[in-house]
Amino acid sequence: MANTSRGRAQDRARVAGGKDQEVRYEAEKERVSKPKVKETVKKVGNSRKKVEASLEK
């Protein structure tokens, strides 16, 4: 099996709403609360682009 970065790239395109470090990272990056990030992930899905776009509104 070849080592590729594909898995990592796909992982970075998602926000794991259940992982505190990812929620905290997005909250600090977008300057919002952690509950707001979790709520947004539930609303728009775990796509990082969609979550960030929704939080910027």
Side-chain angles (χ1 to χ4, degrees):
M1 182 161 69
N3 281 341
T4 65
S5 62
R6 181 175 173 214
R8 275 185 249 139
Q10 288 175 337
D11 191 44
R12 290 193 173 131
R14 308 264 179 246
V15 178
K19 294 207 175 193
D20 190 58
Q21 69 270 19
E22 289 204 31
V23 173
R24 188 176 345 113
Y25 170 78
E26 282 299 324
E28 290 174 6
K29 182 178 171 188
E30 299 296 332
R31 294 188 172 108
V32 297
S33 67
K34 290 194 312 185
K36 179 72 174 169
V37 174
K38 286 185 177 187
E39 177 186 314
T40 304
V41 169
K42 284 182 181 179
K43 187 172 80 175
V44 300
N46 66 350
S47 165
R48 192 171 300 276
K49 286 182 181 180
K50 288 181 181 180
V51 170
E52 290 174 357
S54 181
L55 289 171
E56 289 174 359
K57 291 180 184 175

